[in-house]
Amino acid sequence: MNDTIIVCRSITHAQRMSAAMRRAGINNWISRVPAGLVKSGCGYAVHIRTQSLSQGLQVLQREHIPPVRIFTAGESGYREVSYDLS
Amino acid sequence: MIYLDAAATTFQKPRAVADAAAGAFYRLSSPGRGSYRAAELAAETAFRCRSEAAQLFHVPSEEQVVFTFNATHGLNIAIKSLVSPGDTVVISGYEHNAVVRPLHAIEGVTVKIARGALFDSAAVLREFEARLTPEVSAAVCTHVSNVFGFVLPIGEIAALCRRRGIPLIVDASQSAGILPVDFQEWGAAFVAMPGHKGLYGPQGTGLLLCDHDAVPLMEGGTGSQSRPVEMPDYLPDRLEAGTHNMPGIAGLLEGIRFVRRTGPEAIACHERELIRLAAAGLRDEPWLEVFNGTASGAQSGVLALNVRGEDCEETAAWLARQDIAVRAGLHCAPLAHETAGTVERGAVRVSVSVFNTEREIQYFLKKIRELLENRQKGRPKTV
């Protein structure tokens, strides 16, 4: 699947993130977060290719748009990715 | 009809505003509520509107642009977020009831009024300097008086509040889309504005620009973090409970685009020229009292006047019969009338938008002269 899911706190947060990445040339799209990934219920996420994650995190750090959580989607399901934007 | 009541709402809108609002009924559902196309289109429209507003008003993030129903709604959120029972607040002498009444509703609030003569910016600033003392928990100031078009020295007042560490709420009801509203430079805690006046959006729209923790006025569904019983602690969701007004937001987006394309400076220049023309045509009439600021930049596209010895409502009603729309009375701003000394008699308010023309102003002047001639002949009735 080669997909990374960046969980956002709201649709507007996801839209800001998506726009920032698009400006940096990173292809992405917004979707609802899979229900099993967010205990608080109902959320939005930005999807990018896993190869773009490192560049994407740099963009988010520069633009002060911190992700809530990050997951990669693989054959065996979702795996949470640790990250540091400090 | 010659519509001269833009300070209440801009009645003439760009065609794209009406088209977008109408189109929303067929294309847009609810933002942040689904992954189907109509929900996505609604979310895109809402985000574009936030984004256009953020660029126009220099707001760092789209998340700080909150949709409200009108400026009053935004001011209520802002005031109730910053002011607690027993607090002391400083307001200008030109505030609307959208500020005065929410403050009055909070128990035990002391309101200090920074008065200052009409069109005397320096006097207003001195009044704020004297009243912004350490016990003050917030200041609220309108950018432009909705009655007189008096442009208050908001940049200087904002700088004063920053120096003294007092959070400021700006009521930009009469300035947004017309005068520079620089959220970042002002460093205001909140700036509230309607969407349906200088931004040319539909009625029922407004924006609240936020740079301070905010207390929701309403709780409810936000489409995000649905399990907790508390409202989300992040913007804009924290302040946007319930379904959005998508026809309104779609129209507002086109209104803001129109303002950005036209340029607020060009709009302000046009409106000021019309008011200058109206004031010049009325100034020498002995039967008129005209509230005209002569200092450069002191007045926006609003002009108040009274026919001496005549009830302002009668003047407005006579003009309405000539198909000229103005507003008379206290304009929901008795405090502004108190400050200017017109609270007992009110005033007739003429206010213009980018869609008014010099020809319309000439016609208005002609009709006012006709009114004065009638009056001299004993008509209409003098009170």
Side-chain angles (χ1 to χ4, degrees):
Chain A
M1 287 155 78
N2 197 20
D3 183 20
T4 291
I5 297 172
I6 306 174
V7 177
C8 300
R9 56 192 181 194
S10 68
I11 179 67
T12 314
H13 186 220
Q15 288 170 310
R16 272 187 75 208
M17 196 178 278
S18 172
M21 293 219 202
R22 218 179 306 118
R23 284 195 297 272
I26 301 171
N27 285 333
N28 68 83
W29 73 98
I30 295 172
S31 79
R32 301 277 287 182
V33 181
L37 293 186
V38 280
K39 290 198 173 76
S40 55
C42 300
Y44 280 81
V46 173
H47 294 245
I48 59 172
R49 293 172 64 84
T50 300
Q51 298 93 300
S52 303
L53 179 59
S54 173
Q55 189 196 350
L57 287 173
Q58 286 175 21
V59 171
L60 299 184
Q61 184 172 29
R62 190 176 66 230
E63 305 258 351
H64 308 291
I65 312 174
V68 175
R69 293 170 81 184
I70 301 176
F71 296 89
T72 54
E75 297 296 328
S76 55
Y78 297 104
R79 186 173 61 83
E80 184 154 12
V81 176
S82 60
Y83 62 92
D84 182 9
L85 288 191
S86 59
Chain B
M1 175 178 64
I2 293 179
Y3 186 78
L4 299 174
D5 197 17
T9 194
T10 46
F11 184 63
Q12 294 109 327
K13 313 282 186 187
R15 175 65 189 265
V17 170
D19 288 348
F25 285 100
Y26 306 104
R27 295 173 54 242
L28 309 182
S29 63
S30 193
R33 304 299 198 271
S35 51
Y36 50 91
R37 191 62 188 140
E40 285 180 353
L41 280 175
E44 282 172 28
T45 301
F47 187 73
R48 283 188 190 138
C49 190
R50 294 186 210 275
S51 188
E52 291 277 347
Q55 290 173 70
L56 180 58
F57 302 121
H58 304 159
V59 184
S61 155
E62 288 87 353
E63 289 171 278
Q64 293 171 265
V65 179
V66 168
F67 292 122
T68 59
F69 305 133
N70 45 50
T72 301
H73 181 199
L75 286 165
N76 268 267
I77 293 171
I79 288 168
K80 288 163 186 173
S81 296
L82 285 177
V83 183
S84 301
D87 280 355
T88 299
V89 179
V90 176
I91 67 174
S92 86
Y94 294 92
E95 298 307 312
H96 190 277
N97 275 344
V99 168
V100 174
R101 285 180 172 171
L103 285 172
H104 181 76
I106 303 171
E107 200 179 338
V109 167
T110 301
V111 177
K112 299 203 291 184
I113 302 173
R115 292 186 196 270
L118 193 54
F119 302 119
D120 188 344
S121 296
V124 171
L125 190 56
R126 280 196 303 275
E127 287 278 312
F128 269 95
E129 275 175 340
R131 282 163 180 74
L132 288 172
T133 46
E135 81 280 10
V136 172
S137 48
V140 192
C141 188
T142 188
H143 191 176
V144 174
S145 162
N146 70 305
V147 180
F148 300 102
F150 175 25
V151 181
L152 280 82
I154 199 69
E156 290 87 341
I157 292 166
L160 188 60
C161 287
R162 285 199 306 275
R163 284 199 300 277
R164 299 194 183 176
I166 295 170
L168 171 68
I169 299 167
V170 178
D171 176 0
S173 291
Q174 300 297 333
S175 60
I178 302 159
L179 300 178
V181 171
D182 194 326
F183 184 66
Q184 265 188 304
E185 189 182 304
W186 290 349
F190 297 98
V191 176
M193 62 187 71
H196 61 96
K197 295 186 182 180
L199 297 179
Y200 294 95
Q203 291 95 326
T205 61
L207 298 172
L208 180 65
L209 315 180
C210 304
D211 195 33
H212 195 280
D213 291 342
V215 179
L217 208 57
M218 303 193 305
E219 290 81 18
T222 57
S224 56
Q225 285 202 353
S226 296
R227 288 191 69 175
V229 292
E230 299 88 11
M231 286 294 282
D233 60 3
Y234 47 81
L235 295 172
D237 298 35
R238 183 164 178 72
L239 300 177
E240 292 182 0
T243 300
H244 291 82
N245 169 10
M246 284 317 301
I249 290 168
L252 178 57
L253 167 61
E254 291 305 323
I256 298 175
R257 283 176 169 162
F258 167 79
V259 167
R260 293 190 71 206
R261 270 197 314 273
T262 309
E265 302 82 5
I267 294 171
C269 184
H270 176 75
E271 292 185 5
R272 280 182 159 142
E273 179 54 25
L274 294 180
I275 290 300
R276 189 200 62 74
L277 187 68
L282 300 172
R283 198 175 294 133
D284 296 330
E285 295 286 353
W287 288 97
L288 289 180
E289 181 183 22
V290 181
F291 298 90
N292 184 211
T294 50
S296 171
Q299 191 166 17
S300 67
V302 179
L303 182 70
L305 60 105
N306 270 317
V307 177
R308 294 185 198 279
E310 181 169 292
D311 191 295
C312 62
E313 295 287 1
E314 283 203 24
T315 309
W318 188 88
L319 287 168
R321 290 196 290 277
Q322 317 306 310
D323 223 9
I324 297 174
V326 297
R327 181 165 169 196
L330 296 182
H331 313 91
C332 297
L335 178 60
H337 281 282
E338 270 177 32
T339 304
T342 52
V343 73
E344 296 303 328
R345 61 190 189 281
V348 176
R349 181 185 69 185
V350 173
S351 54
V352 296
S353 81
V354 75
F355 292 106
N356 288 115
T357 63
E358 193 177 316
R359 197 170 164 191
E360 288 178 324
I361 297 298
Q362 295 292 5
Y363 184 77
F364 163 74
L365 291 172
K366 181 181 156 202
K367 286 294 171 185
I368 283 283
R369 287 185 198 112
E370 198 177 308
L371 168 78
L372 295 176
E373 280 169 26
N374 286 348
R375 189 191 176 284
Q376 282 163 322
K377 289 175 197 164
R379 302 188 306 266
K381 181 173 157 270
T382 300
V383 291

